[in-house]
């Protein structure tokens, strides 16, 4: 009884072959054929051949068949047509197979290999019989020879953690099947090759027939990316209901998509046969991706690492509080603790009326005995109202004030009291505009950016084109709709530390206001005037840098890189303004002019992205603007804002004034400039900026946004170094906290820059070339080198801000007419 049904499959197979033969008619009778055997023949308009390949499929087995055909004919008018009929589909192609490249170039291939769509596993217990018909025909009036070879693939289904090597060409694409193991929810497909070219495409497609495995249709379905030497695609089980997918490998007929050029031997519209040179050896390995627990660990690490900064700040504040309380109980408070209450017995304030000008401390001591005029009456120094009626013009428009400015600011030796003569409330309100303006800018800038990157991510998810975004695909961990969640999470440090800096500034601001209300003499007449508007703006800028960097890393590419750098320009600019404001509180730039300057810089950055690649005229204009702006700014800094060019008679007066200044300062006093320290700084600064201008004009770097950012950072570092050197030259000291912050800033910036220069991708190149730089994760199996750069740069910026905040704490007990200006 067990052997009775055995002949049934053979009888059924014979019946199918006879039925096909009867249906095909004369001259087209299917001939039984065997796998692994080469069949040679000739066809013409009246003679065609049909081959029938029968096989038995085991239960639960996926069988794949590959058809290899060849024809010696190069006649494009009469190609050989191959039609393969299966149980649920038809696949056809011609030989020579024609591929099209740029400018209508065509490439003809006479050898073609195609993998047929595999049969689905049958739920039957017994083996099932399958038949494949291959029909060969041509409309040629003469015989055309061909060869046919049909084989069954033994390694069609790939295994986890097992490398598989194979060869592909434009006319011989390959694809394989992969099924998710039971305990794996996500895998990474890693493909490598020893050769850069030919350019290839790796595609992940659902189990649907037909499979799109040719150059002109591989982008029609699934997820795909171009490749030279390396590619990686993360695939999640939830995206494939059948828990299996095809991995398709296509070799492109030209290399332009991967950054290569068309070889000189095939330029033109001439048809070429070019096959062996386009063969590529590939190796594919499928490895499990990280588990959900790693996501949780990475998030805890990110938040706890930066919340430790909050804990450290609380400890420092608590220690300072205990120190102040102990000194208060011992009755030996020092002025630097902010507790010097103004009394009539104080030697400085005994003769100073309560309503005197903010910072006006015995002006004769710093002005060579020349008693300067001052406003007749100003509001009480301790008041801190923000009346919208009071403006700077109410206190600073009288002719005698302008005269005083010219006398004071052109002195050879300036002290802080000379440049802190304006009413504190007016100046403080002027600097608060920085804070409110940057919030407005951040809202109006960030909302369109967020909308745009969401659109980018949606396009990537819908089209499957992973060449749009320049990720590090070997360490890109998706979450929800985001393709690289780790690059976004790593920016949390900028937001957390930016908010912490705002809290630290707020604490100092509150303590300063309390001291002002108590009319603390050390707050009114000692130390650097406290204005916190720029510090608040810096904190907001740091938080927005994190937000916009995260937006950029949603889909990093050439067109949205300025999102990642815009607030970097603002941070560098605000830091320079804050450094300058420290010793020049009355003559710093207004918020409107500062942000207008930042807007101009961002406009130049956008123009550089568009025109900065190959247009020499753009670099000529930009270099001229750069040099002229450096000279103009240097002039204003050198003369403390008192340099005026106004011709009294005609327009020629401008040139007459410029010539007179040049003669006076460069010829008569050529041996030694009037302001030596400022001159040294400005000469070095101009040399650095001119060097940048010449470098840009000669080399024309493609990454224009980073080029401008380099200009800002170099100028900031130069000014900070000058400031610290001049501070030490003036016999001022560095307290432990700012000294620690300086050391921490240097160390963390050095470590951060090391990881920054570990290039993991580059939108200056093609997506395929960029993927050659991809590297695996280095931290917790979740973060790559660029994520570590995000962590460290956030900490470095935070310490840099603390340096600016605490650098002059040692001057809190020094009279302002003893603090030099530099």
């Amino acid at each position: 009884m067990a052997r009775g049904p055995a002949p049934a499959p053979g009888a059924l197979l014979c019946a199918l072959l006879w039925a096909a033969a009867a249906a095909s008619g004369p001259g087209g009778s299917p001939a039984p054929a065997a796998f692994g055997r080469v069949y040679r023949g000739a066809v013409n308009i009246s003679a065609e051949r049909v081959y029938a390949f029968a096989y038995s499929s085991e239960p639960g087995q996926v069988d794949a068949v590959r058809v290899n055909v060849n024809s010696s004919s190069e006649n494009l008018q009469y190609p050989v047509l191959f039609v393969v009929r299966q149980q649920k589909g038809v696949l056809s192609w011609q030989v020579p197979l024609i591929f099209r490249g740029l400018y209508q170039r065509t490439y003809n291939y006479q050898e073609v290999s195609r993998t047929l769509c595999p049969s689905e596993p049958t739920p039957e217990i017994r083996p099932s019989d399958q038949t494949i018909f291959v029909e060969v025909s041509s409309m040629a009036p003469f015989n055309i020879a061909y060869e046919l070879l049909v084989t069954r693939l033994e390694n069609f289904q790939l295994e986890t953690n097992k490398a598989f090597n194979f060869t592909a060409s434009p006319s011989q694409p390959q694809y394989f099947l992969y099924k998710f193991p039971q305990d794996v929810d996500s895998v990474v497909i890693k493909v490598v090759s020893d050769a850069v070219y030919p350019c290839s495409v790796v595609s992940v497609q659902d189990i649907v027939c037909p499979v799109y495995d040719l150059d002109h249709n591989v982008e029609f379905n699934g997820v795909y990316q171009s490749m030279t030497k390396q590619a990686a695609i993360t695939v999640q089980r939830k995206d494939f209901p059948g828990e299996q997918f095809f991995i398709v490998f296509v070799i492109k007929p030209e290399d332009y998509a991967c950054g290569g050029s068309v070889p000189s031997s095939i330029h033109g519209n001439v048809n070429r046969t070019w096959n062996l040179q386009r063969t590529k050896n590939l190796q594919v390995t499928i490895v499990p991706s990280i588990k959900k627990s790693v996501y949780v660990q990475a998030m805890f690490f990110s938040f706890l690492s930066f919340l430790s900064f909050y804990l450290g700040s609380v400890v420092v504040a608590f220690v300072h509080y205990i120190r102040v309380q102990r000194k208060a109980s011992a009755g030996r408070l020092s002025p630097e603790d902010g507790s010097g209450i103004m009394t009539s017995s104080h030697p400085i304030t005994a003769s100073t009326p309560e309503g005197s000008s903010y910072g006006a401390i015995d002006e004769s001591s710093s002005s060579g005995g020349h008693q300067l005029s001052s406003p007749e009456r100003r509001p009480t120094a301790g008041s801190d109202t923000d009346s919208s009626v009071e403006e700077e013009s109410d206190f600073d428009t009288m002719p005698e004030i302008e005269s005083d400015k010219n006398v004071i600011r052109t002195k050879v030796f300036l002290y802080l009291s000379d440049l802190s003569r304006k009413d504190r409330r007016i100046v403080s309100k002027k600097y608060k505009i920085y804070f409110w303006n940057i919030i407005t800018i951040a809202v109006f800038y960030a909302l369109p950016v967020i909308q745009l990157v969401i659109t980018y991510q949606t396009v990537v998810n819908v089209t499957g084109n992973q060449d749009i975004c320049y990720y590090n695909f070997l360490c890109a961990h998706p979450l929800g709709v985001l393709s690289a969640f780790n690059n976004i999470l790593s920016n949390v440090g900028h937001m957390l530390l930016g908010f912490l800096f705002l809290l630290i500034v707020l604490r100092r601001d509150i303590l300063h206001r309390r001291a002002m209300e108590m009319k603390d003499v050390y707050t009114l007449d000692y130390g650097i005037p406290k204005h916190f508007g720029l510090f608040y703006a810096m904190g907001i800028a740091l938080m927005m840098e994190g937000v916009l960097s995260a937006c950029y890393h949603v889909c990093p590419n050439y067109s949205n890189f300025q999102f990642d750098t815009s607030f970097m320009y603002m941070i560098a600019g605000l830091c320079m303004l804050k450094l300058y404001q420290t010793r020049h509180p009355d003559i710093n730039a207004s918020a409107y002019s500062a942000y207008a300057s930042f807007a101009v810089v961002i406009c130049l950055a956008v123009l550089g992205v568009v025109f900065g690649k190959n247009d020499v005229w753009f670099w000529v204009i930009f270099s001229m603007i750069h040099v002229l702006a450096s000279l103009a700014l240097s002039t204003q800094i050198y003369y403390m804002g008192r340099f005026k060019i106004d011709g009294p008679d005609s327009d020629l007066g401008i040139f007459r004034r410029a010539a007179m200044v040049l003669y006076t300062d460069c010829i008569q006093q050529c041996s030694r400039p009037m302001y030596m320290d400022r001159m040294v700084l400005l000469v070095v600064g101009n040399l650095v900026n001119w060097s940048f201008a010449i470098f840009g004009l000669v080399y024309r770097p493609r990454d224009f946004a980073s080029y401008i950012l380099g200009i800002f950072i170099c100028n900031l570092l130069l000014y900070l170094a000058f400031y610290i050197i001049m501070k030490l030259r003036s016999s001022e000291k560095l307290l432990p906290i700012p000294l620690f912050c300086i050391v921490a800033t240097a160390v963390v910036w050095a470590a951060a820059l090391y990881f920054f220069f570990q290039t993991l991708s580059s939108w200056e190149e093609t997506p395929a070339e960029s993927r050659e730089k991809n590297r695996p994760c280095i931290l917790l199996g979740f973060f790559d080198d660029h994520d570590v750069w995000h962590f460290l740069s956030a900490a470095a910026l935070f310490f840099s801000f603390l340096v600016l905040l605490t650098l002059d704490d040692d001057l809190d007990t020094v009279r302002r007419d003893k603090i030099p200006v530099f």
Side-chain angles (χ1 to χ4, degrees), residues 362-426:
D362 191 12
E363 299 296 345
S364 59
S365 63
S366 61
S367 56
H370 178 72
Q371 184 64 36
L372 301 172
S373 60
S374 59
E376 294 181 0
R377 187 68 178 169
R378 293 191 180 184
T380 303
S383 63
D384 193 25
T385 59
D386 283 333
S387 172
S388 60
V389 178
E390 295 167 330
E391 298 292 343
E392 183 180 352
S393 59
D394 297 337
F395 302 90
D396 201 21
T397 56
M398 295 184 295
E400 58 268 26
I401 293 295
E402 290 296 321
S403 175
D404 287 349
K405 286 182 181 179
N406 291 328
V407 172
I408 292 175
R409 298 182 190 178
T410 54
K411 294 191 306 180
V412 177
F413 299 105
L414 274 174
Y415 292 91
L416 187 60
S417 58
D418 299 324
L419 300 180
S420 58
R421 298 165 53 79
K422 296 181 181 178
D423 186 88
R424 195 201 68 85
R425 297 169 306 143
I426 303 303

Side-chain angles (χ1 to χ4, degrees), residues 443-757:
V443 171
F444 279 91
Y445 192 91
L447 290 180
V449 168
I450 294 173
Q451 181 181 2
L452 180 61
V453 296
I454 290 175
T455 303
Y456 269 116
Q457 185 68 72
T458 303
V459 170
V460 172
N461 295 339
V462 171
T463 64
N465 182 5
Q466 295 198 349
D467 284 352
I468 296 176
C469 305
Y470 287 73
Y471 304 117
N472 175 19
F473 288 91
L474 288 176
C475 187
H477 304 297
L479 181 66
V481 298
L482 300 173
S483 299
F485 174 69
N486 54 300
N487 294 149
I488 299 172
L489 177 63
S490 59
N491 285 284
V492 70
H494 294 87
M495 291 175 270
L496 291 178
L497 293 184
F499 185 70
L500 175 59
F501 183 73
L502 289 177
L503 294 179
I504 295 174
V505 174
L506 178 62
R507 175 182 176 273
R508 286 207 166 204
D509 194 6
I510 292 174
L511 293 177
H512 177 70
R513 290 187 181 185
R514 288 178 181 174
M516 293 293 295
E517 292 173 358
M518 298 173 64
K519 299 177 182 176
D520 178 9
V521 66
Y522 295 105
T523 302
L524 294 174
D525 300 328
Y526 283 73
I528 302 295
K530 302 295 191 297
H531 302 294
F532 298 97
L534 274 169
F535 283 128
Y536 285 122
M538 290 160 57
I540 295 296
L542 181 56
M543 295 180 67
M544 288 307 303
E545 172 57 30
V547 172
L548 292 178
S549 178
C551 289
Y552 164 71
H553 284 91
V554 169
C555 181
N557 58 58
Y558 178 78
S559 60
N560 63 6
F561 180 63
Q562 61 265 28
F563 301 160
D564 195 20
T565 56
S566 296
F567 271 81
M568 289 185 184
Y569 304 147
M570 290 195 180
I571 289 174
L574 290 173
C575 288
M576 285 188 282
L577 287 172
K578 184 59 195 177
L579 264 180
Y580 190 76
Q581 179 231 17
T582 302
R583 307 272 172 157
H584 312 78
D586 285 358
I587 59 174
N588 207 9
S590 68
Y592 305 112
S593 58
Y595 288 127
S597 301
F598 297 152
V600 171
V601 171
I602 294 175
C603 289
L604 288 174
V606 173
L607 292 175
V609 170
V610 177
F611 301 107
K613 292 182 182 178
N614 301 311
D615 296 324
V616 179
W617 63 266
F618 171 80
W619 284 99
V620 172
I621 295 176
F622 175 78
S623 299
M624 292 176 61
I625 294 175
H626 186 187
V627 171
L628 292 176
S630 300
L631 291 173
L633 185 60
S634 300
T635 304
Q636 290 299 314
I637 293 175
Y638 186 74
Y639 289 102
M640 294 289 185
R642 304 314 300 163
F643 182 78
K644 303 290 184 181
I645 299 180
D646 48 354
D649 301 324
S650 64
D651 293 339
L652 294 178
I654 297 177
F655 301 100
R656 188 182 302 112
R657 170 64 172 156
M660 183 175 63
V661 171
L662 183 65
Y663 174 78
T664 303
D665 293 349
C666 297
I667 298 179
Q668 285 187 339
Q669 302 177 9
C670 186
S671 58
R672 178 179 177 84
M674 182 180 297
Y675 315 112
M676 177 57 73
D677 294 333
R678 273 179 268 170
M679 177 60 71
V680 172
L681 169 66
L682 295 175
V683 167
V684 175
N686 276 274
L687 289 177
V688 170
N689 282 276
W690 296 351
S691 300
F692 267 102
I694 295 173
F695 173 83
L697 189 60
V698 173
Y699 292 98
R700 298 193 295 276
R702 294 186 62 184
D703 190 354
F704 186 77
S706 295
Y707 169 76
I708 293 185
L709 183 60
I711 295 175
F712 270 85
I713 292 177
C714 285
N715 280 277
L716 173 59
L717 293 178
L718 178 66
Y719 190 23
L720 179 60
F722 169 80
Y723 190 94
I724 294 176
I725 292 172
M726 292 301 300
K727 181 178 178 67
L728 298 177
R729 271 192 60 192
S730 303
S731 300
E732 299 175 9
K733 60 182 179 179
L734 295 175
L735 296 180
I737 290 182
L739 183 60
F740 168 78
C741 292
I742 291 174
V743 174
T745 299
V747 172
V748 178
W749 267 124
L753 290 175
Y754 170 80
F755 288 99
F756 175 76
F757 289 111

Side-chain angles (χ1 to χ4, degrees), residues 64 105 154 183 319 488 544 663:
R105 290 190 181 90
E154 298 180 357
D183 58 340
V319 170
I488 299 172
M544 288 307 303
Y663 174 78

